[in-house]
Amino acid sequence: MIRKFFKRLLAKPTLSKDIPGKQSHTHLNHGGKTPSAYGVHKPKVWTLAEHKIDRRLVSHNAIRVCETLQAKGYKAFVVGGAVRDLVLGMRPKDFDVATDASPEQVQRLFRRARIIGRRFQIVHVMFGPETIETSTFRALASSSSEVDEHGRVLRDNEFGRQDEDATRRDFTVNALYYDPSTETVWDYHHGMEDLRAKTLRMIGEPSQRYREDPVRMLRVVRFAAKLNFTIEPATYAPIADLADLLKNVPASRLFDEMLKLLMSGSALACLKGLRKAGLHHGVFPLLDAIMDQERGEAFLAEALSRTDQRVKDGKPLSPGFLFACLLWHLVLENWEKKVERGEVKFPALFAAMDEVLAEQAERTAIPRRLTGDMREIWAFQPRFEKRAGKAPFRMLEQQKFRAALDFYELRAETGDADPEVARWWRIFSDGESNNRQHLMDQLRETPAGRAEAAPKKKRRRKRKPNGNASTGAANSGQQAGE
């Protein structure tokens, strides 16, 4: 009796190999659920002739992760936005892999791999500068999932089958699974059809899905702007009413999403989309104040237009520069008010910076390294107006000089700074030592140069009153004689 019991206990379960989407339960723990309770949704499998993905656009390291997992008997697919972009003929920026192997099983197969994540555990498999984010198929949401009072999922490390994982994803176009070994795409929710129709559609009931993760409201706007897609009406309708849910999202997550938006290549369209959907207060509380200023709106539009062009040209971007542009006119307005009240120019500028950054920090967790870059770029601006003496040569040695000059030129293009000064600095910075000295000599001969070089009147220091008038007079005469 006891022998039969142990024999049944140690027996390997039968694996279902022939049913697409059927999860191998050897690899996963379903937390006591009966797998058959969900039912298996069979995917539509698209062949190479149908999806036309160019395998050369797929990361070699992502293929390597899939093939390594498959060689050990696990399922593994490139998944999500990478597959969406590949079908559209675009080269993805990063690649994610989904598998039925647990995080621990994935980690054991790769030399440089680490498990991260609190809300849902994933594995970062690192190959030099590239990281392949590898996640285990997720189960459908259950009563055991930890949520807050608004329905936002806080922690959910319950693993499941591939069809469950597809249902847990946000939009149909992001629920596509590409198998690089067979070059097939597995589609559980008609994502290929929506891709061809250029439509963004939520999987499941939109209001519930937004409550589970309010950041999805930002993502749908970003995807629509980036891909030039239409948001399906039922997916778009609840956004305005649920916008306040973004106030419950950690500031660090909002910053990450804002950075993705600004570096999407369609930043200006994204910001306009946020305003139209009523989401700007949740992402950037001060965005209205920036966009509603006529001067600030022109500056912001030009800055984001340049940023989008750099993304399209494949050039690097500086997040610190982007956020310096976004908040500049709030700093400028605050600074001008302080100067009008009689405050000294440079201390007033630094005080204005502190106030704006402190106010913004309440909703957007801008990292300290970026706020440091922003401060340097802003602090440079009044210094460009001083071109006399050795100051210009010293400024060239500063680390953020080039970024600050780009910023000043942007201001000059939108009427916020002197175009002639901007042109002079560009010639000065690009020239050689002899040419720079020649520019300095020429500047001294101009009215502007003479005005900059003119010595400022020193303020006479008031003497403290002394009780002995005669002694004070004697001291005064002695100092005059000296």
Side-chain angles (χ1 to χ4, degrees):
M1 187 81 172
I2 295 175
R3 188 180 298 152
K4 288 182 179 179
F5 170 75
F6 277 105
K7 191 174 180 179
R8 287 198 306 270
L9 185 66
L10 298 176
K12 292 184 178 180
T14 304
L15 303 182
S16 299
K17 299 180 180 178
D18 300 324
I19 304 176
K22 183 70 175 179
Q23 178 59 47
S24 171
H25 302 299
T26 308
H27 310 312
L28 302 174
N29 176 12
H30 286 271
K33 288 183 179 180
T34 305
S36 60
Y38 293 105
V40 177
H41 302 287
K42 292 185 178 181
K44 161 72 175 174
V45 179
W46 300 84
T47 64
L48 176 59
E50 294 171 312
H51 62 68
K52 296 181 174 62
I53 288 177
D54 185 350
R55 198 171 188 269
R56 293 172 298 181
L57 297 177
V58 184
S59 162
H60 171 74
N61 293 320
I63 294 174
R64 182 177 168 185
V65 170
C66 290
E67 290 178 344
T68 300
L69 287 164
Q70 290 171 353
K72 293 297 181 180
Y74 302 111
K75 292 181 179 180
F77 299 81
V78 176
V79 69
V83 184
R84 177 198 68 221
D85 291 348
L86 287 167
V87 173
L88 294 173
M90 303 162 57
R91 184 183 294 274
K93 289 185 178 180
D94 47 54
F95 289 83
D96 298 339
V97 168
T99 178
D100 60 354
S102 69
E104 293 76 16
Q105 289 168 330
V106 173
Q107 188 180 37
R108 285 196 291 267
L109 294 178
F110 300 95
R111 185 172 61 86
R112 295 187 63 215
R114 59 192 181 99
I115 299 174
I116 68 164
R118 182 177 178 182
R119 181 169 172 263
F120 187 81
Q121 287 187 337
I122 59 177
V123 182
H124 276 178
V125 184
M126 291 161 280
F127 300 92
E130 184 177 20
T131 297
I132 305 299
E133 192 171 281
T134 307
S135 60
T136 305
F137 295 148
R138 294 177 293 174
L140 294 172
S142 67
S143 57
S144 62
S145 300
E146 184 180 342
V147 299
D148 65 11
E149 67 272 21
H150 305 286
R152 182 169 67 90
V153 177
L154 302 176
R155 189 178 301 178
D156 181 15
N157 281 318
E158 199 165 336
F159 306 135
R161 299 188 309 269
Q162 185 178 358
D163 65 305
E164 295 177 285
D165 186 78
T167 302
R168 283 289 301 271
R169 296 187 179 271
D170 47 15
F171 310 108
T172 59
V173 297
N174 290 342
L176 300 171
Y177 297 75
Y178 174 68
D179 183 350
S181 299
T182 61
E183 294 192 77
T184 56
V185 170
W186 292 28
D187 179 5
Y188 287 89
H189 295 281
H190 309 286
M192 288 287 289
E193 295 172 15
D194 283 341
L195 265 182
R196 289 170 177 172
K198 296 188 175 183
T199 300
L200 286 170
R201 188 188 312 274
M202 181 69 73
I203 297 173
E205 203 283 309
S207 295
Q208 180 184 345
R209 303 308 306 280
Y210 290 140
R211 290 184 182 280
E212 290 173 357
D213 186 2
V215 170
R216 286 173 177 149
M217 292 186 284
L218 307 181
R219 285 165 58 84
V220 72
V221 172
R222 173 162 60 88
F223 291 147
K226 176 184 175 182
L227 302 171
N228 196 23
F229 276 25
T230 301
I231 303 174
E232 184 253 341
T235 300
Y236 190 81
I239 292 177
D241 293 335
L242 300 177
D244 283 347
L245 293 176
L246 286 166
K247 296 176 182 177
N248 305 310
V249 176
S252 59
R253 263 199 95 196
L254 283 182
F255 173 78
D256 290 342
E257 192 60 33
M258 190 66 185
L259 196 57
K260 290 177 184 177
L261 184 150
L262 290 173
M263 303 177 78
S264 66
S266 303
L268 188 57
C270 284
L271 291 183
K272 290 179 178 177
L274 291 178
R275 292 191 69 185
K276 185 177 179 181
L279 290 173
H280 43 295
H281 292 296
V283 190
F284 234 50
L286 305 179
L287 185 58
D288 263 353
I290 301 167
M291 299 288 282
D292 288 345
Q293 296 180 44
E294 183 178 345
R295 183 173 61 174
E297 187 171 359
F299 175 82
L300 186 61
E302 181 62 26
L304 294 179
S305 177
R306 287 187 178 192
T307 299
D308 291 344
Q309 191 58 51
R310 289 186 69 86
V311 172
K312 291 170 185 174
D313 294 342
K315 295 180 179 179
L317 293 175
S318 167
F321 186 91
L322 290 176
F323 279 89
C325 290
L326 203 60
L327 293 176
W328 166 244
H329 276 85
L330 295 173
V331 173
L332 181 60
E333 182 181 346
N334 200 349
W335 180 29
E336 289 174 344
K337 288 179 180 177
K338 291 179 181 298
V339 172
E340 287 174 3
R341 291 198 297 265
E343 296 186 31
V344 181
K345 191 173 185 179
F346 275 93
L349 174 58
F350 283 94
M353 294 182 200
D354 291 341
E355 290 175 10
V356 169
L357 289 174
E359 185 177 359
Q360 187 57 37
E362 295 178 4
R363 287 300 301 132
T364 308
I366 304 176
R368 188 173 297 176
R369 61 183 174 82
L370 297 190
T371 58
D373 292 346
M374 294 160 64
R375 287 177 185 275
E376 286 189 63
I377 290 170
W378 291 336
F380 256 107
Q381 301 311 299
R383 296 173 65 185
F384 285 116
E385 299 168 10
K386 181 69 174 176
R387 294 174 287 173
K390 298 294 183 182
F393 296 96
R394 288 195 296 267
M395 286 174 66
L396 290 178
E397 300 171 359
Q398 301 300 314
Q399 185 178 5
K400 293 297 177 186
F401 171 79
R402 290 288 174 181
L405 179 55
D406 288 344
F407 194 91
Y408 189 86
E409 288 177 325
L410 183 61
R411 292 177 57 208
E413 283 191 21
T414 55
D416 190 33
D418 188 340
E420 183 57 35
V421 173
R423 189 185 70 84
W424 186 93
W425 274 104
R426 177 56 65 186
I427 297 172
F428 181 81
S429 64
D430 292 343
E432 297 178 355
S433 298
N434 293 336
N435 292 336
R436 288 171 183 165
Q437 190 58 54
H438 180 63
L439 280 172
M440 295 291 292
D441 295 339
Q442 283 184 324
L443 181 64
R444 291 191 193 100
E445 303 302 320
T446 65
R450 287 194 292 270
E452 289 183 20
K456 294 182 179 180
K457 293 182 180 180
K458 294 184 178 179
R459 294 182 179 180
R460 296 186 63 181
R461 300 175 68 180
K462 292 183 179 180
R463 298 183 182 281
K464 293 182 179 179
N466 194 318
N468 191 335
S470 59
T471 304
N475 289 341
S476 176
Q478 185 179 4
Q479 289 171 0
E482 293 175 354

mmCIF file of all heavy atoms in Angstrom, residues 142-156:
data_model
loop_
_atom_site.group_PDB
_atom_site.id
_atom_site.type_symbol
_atom_site.label_atom_id
_atom_site.label_comp_id
_atom_site.label_asym_id
_atom_site.label_seq_id
_atom_site.Cartn_x
_atom_site.Cartn_y
_atom_site.Cartn_z
ATOM 1 N N SER A 142 -6.314 36.233 -10.198
ATOM 2 C CA SER A 142 -7.145 35.462 -9.271
ATOM 3 C C SER A 142 -7.313 36.229 -7.976
ATOM 4 O O SER A 142 -6.738 37.294 -7.779
ATOM 5 C CB SER A 142 -6.493 34.102 -8.989
ATOM 6 O OG SER A 142 -5.284 34.286 -8.270
ATOM 7 N N SER A 143 -8.091 35.673 -7.084
ATOM 8 C CA SER A 143 -8.333 36.315 -5.789
ATOM 9 C C SER A 143 -7.078 36.386 -4.951
ATOM 10 O O SER A 143 -6.993 37.164 -4.002
ATOM 11 C CB SER A 143 -9.429 35.550 -5.029
ATOM 12 O OG SER A 143 -9.044 34.191 -4.867
ATOM 13 N N SER A 144 -6.066 35.566 -5.284
ATOM 14 C CA SER A 144 -4.830 35.564 -4.512
ATOM 15 C C SER A 144 -3.898 36.709 -4.909
ATOM 16 O O SER A 144 -2.924 36.983 -4.227
ATOM 17 C CB SER A 144 -4.091 34.228 -4.689
ATOM 18 O OG SER A 144 -3.729 34.031 -6.034
ATOM 19 N N SER A 145 -4.191 37.384 -6.018
ATOM 20 C CA SER A 145 -3.357 38.499 -6.449
ATOM 21 C C SER A 145 -3.514 39.659 -5.476
ATOM 22 O O SER A 145 -4.622 39.990 -5.054
ATOM 23 C CB SER A 145 -3.754 38.950 -7.853
ATOM 24 O OG SER A 145 -3.597 37.899 -8.779
ATOM 25 N N GLU A 146 -2.402 40.310 -5.140
ATOM 26 C CA GLU A 146 -2.422 41.425 -4.196
ATOM 27 C C GLU A 146 -2.746 42.716 -4.954
ATOM 28 O O GLU A 146 -2.031 43.098 -5.875
ATOM 29 C CB GLU A 146 -1.059 41.546 -3.510
ATOM 30 C CG GLU A 146 -1.020 42.624 -2.429
ATOM 31 C CD GLU A 146 0.343 42.716 -1.766
ATOM 32 O OE1 GLU A 146 1.133 41.752 -1.899
ATOM 33 O OE2 GLU A 146 0.613 43.752 -1.126
ATOM 34 N N VAL A 147 -3.833 43.391 -4.562
ATOM 35 C CA VAL A 147 -4.260 44.625 -5.225
ATOM 36 C C VAL A 147 -4.494 45.703 -4.181
ATOM 37 O O VAL A 147 -4.683 45.418 -2.998
ATOM 38 C CB VAL A 147 -5.549 44.403 -6.057
ATOM 39 C CG1 VAL A 147 -5.317 43.370 -7.145
ATOM 40 C CG2 VAL A 147 -6.708 43.975 -5.164
ATOM 41 N N ASP A 148 -4.485 46.980 -4.636
ATOM 42 C CA ASP A 148 -4.806 48.068 -3.714
ATOM 43 C C ASP A 148 -6.304 48.342 -3.742
ATOM 44 O O ASP A 148 -7.073 47.638 -4.410
ATOM 45 C CB ASP A 148 -3.991 49.328 -4.043
ATOM 46 C CG ASP A 148 -4.331 49.922 -5.402
ATOM 47 O OD1 ASP A 148 -5.339 49.501 -6.015
ATOM 48 O OD2 ASP A 148 -3.599 50.817 -5.867
ATOM 49 N N GLU A 149 -6.728 49.384 -3.045
ATOM 50 C CA GLU A 149 -8.165 49.651 -2.939
ATOM 51 C C GLU A 149 -8.786 50.102 -4.252
ATOM 52 O O GLU A 149 -10.014 50.097 -4.394
ATOM 53 C CB GLU A 149 -8.424 50.710 -1.846
ATOM 54 C CG GLU A 149 -7.898 52.105 -2.155
ATOM 55 C CD GLU A 149 -6.449 52.283 -1.705
ATOM 56 O OE1 GLU A 149 -5.736 51.268 -1.531
ATOM 57 O OE2 GLU A 149 -6.030 53.443 -1.510
ATOM 58 N N HIS A 150 -7.964 50.480 -5.223
ATOM 59 C CA HIS A 150 -8.471 50.918 -6.523
ATOM 60 C C HIS A 150 -8.447 49.803 -7.559
ATOM 61 O O HIS A 150 -8.861 50.018 -8.697
ATOM 62 C CB HIS A 150 -7.645 52.098 -7.036
ATOM 63 C CG HIS A 150 -7.582 53.252 -6.075
ATOM 64 N ND1 HIS A 150 -8.647 54.098 -5.858
ATOM 65 C CD2 HIS A 150 -6.587 53.668 -5.247
ATOM 66 C CE1 HIS A 150 -8.304 55.014 -4.957
ATOM 67 N NE2 HIS A 150 -7.066 54.772 -4.570
ATOM 68 N N GLY A 151 -7.937 48.628 -7.181
ATOM 69 C CA GLY A 151 -7.886 47.501 -8.115
ATOM 70 C C GLY A 151 -6.557 47.338 -8.813
ATOM 71 O O GLY A 151 -6.397 46.435 -9.643
ATOM 72 N N ARG A 152 -5.554 48.190 -8.499
ATOM 73 C CA ARG A 152 -4.250 48.075 -9.149
ATOM 74 C C ARG A 152 -3.505 46.879 -8.582
ATOM 75 O O ARG A 152 -3.384 46.719 -7.364
ATOM 76 C CB ARG A 152 -3.428 49.354 -8.940
ATOM 77 C CG ARG A 152 -2.076 49.345 -9.631
ATOM 78 C CD ARG A 152 -1.435 50.725 -9.602
ATOM 79 N NE ARG A 152 -1.082 51.129 -8.258
ATOM 80 C CZ ARG A 152 0.104 50.883 -7.685
ATOM 81 N NH1 ARG A 152 1.025 50.221 -8.348
ATOM 82 N NH2 ARG A 152 0.345 51.303 -6.460
ATOM 83 N N VAL A 153 -2.991 46.025 -9.479
ATOM 84 C CA VAL A 153 -2.267 44.821 -9.052
ATOM 85 C C VAL A 153 -0.909 45.238 -8.499
ATOM 86 O O VAL A 153 -0.119 45.911 -9.180
ATOM 87 C CB VAL A 153 -2.086 43.836 -10.230
ATOM 88 C CG1 VAL A 153 -1.273 42.632 -9.788
ATOM 89 C CG2 VAL A 153 -3.443 43.395 -10.755
ATOM 90 N N LEU A 154 -0.637 44.843 -7.254
ATOM 91 C CA LEU A 154 0.616 45.187 -6.598
ATOM 92 C C LEU A 154 1.641 44.067 -6.694
ATOM 93 O O LEU A 154 2.837 44.319 -6.823
ATOM 94 C CB LEU A 154 0.369 45.522 -5.120
ATOM 95 C CG LEU A 154 -0.615 46.659 -4.848
ATOM 96 C CD1 LEU A 154 -0.829 46.826 -3.358
ATOM 97 C CD2 LEU A 154 -0.117 47.961 -5.465
ATOM 98 N N ARG A 155 1.167 42.829 -6.613
ATOM 99 C CA ARG A 155 2.079 41.693 -6.682
ATOM 100 C C ARG A 155 1.337 40.497 -7.243
ATOM 101 O O ARG A 155 0.223 40.202 -6.830
ATOM 102 C CB ARG A 155 2.641 41.369 -5.294
ATOM 103 C CG ARG A 155 3.749 40.342 -5.311
ATOM 104 C CD ARG A 155 4.299 40.097 -3.917
ATOM 105 N NE ARG A 155 4.821 41.328 -3.333
ATOM 106 C CZ ARG A 155 5.327 41.400 -2.097
ATOM 107 N NH1 ARG A 155 5.365 40.320 -1.342
ATOM 108 N NH2 ARG A 155 5.779 42.541 -1.624
ATOM 109 N N ASP A 156 1.987 39.833 -8.208
ATOM 110 C CA ASP A 156 1.326 38.693 -8.850
ATOM 111 C C ASP A 156 2.388 37.807 -9.485
ATOM 112 O O ASP A 156 2.768 38.008 -10.632
ATOM 113 C CB ASP A 156 0.344 39.203 -9.923
ATOM 114 C CG ASP A 156 -0.387 38.058 -10.613
ATOM 115 O OD1 ASP A 156 -0.343 36.938 -10.077
ATOM 116 O OD2 ASP A 156 -0.980 38.299 -11.675
#
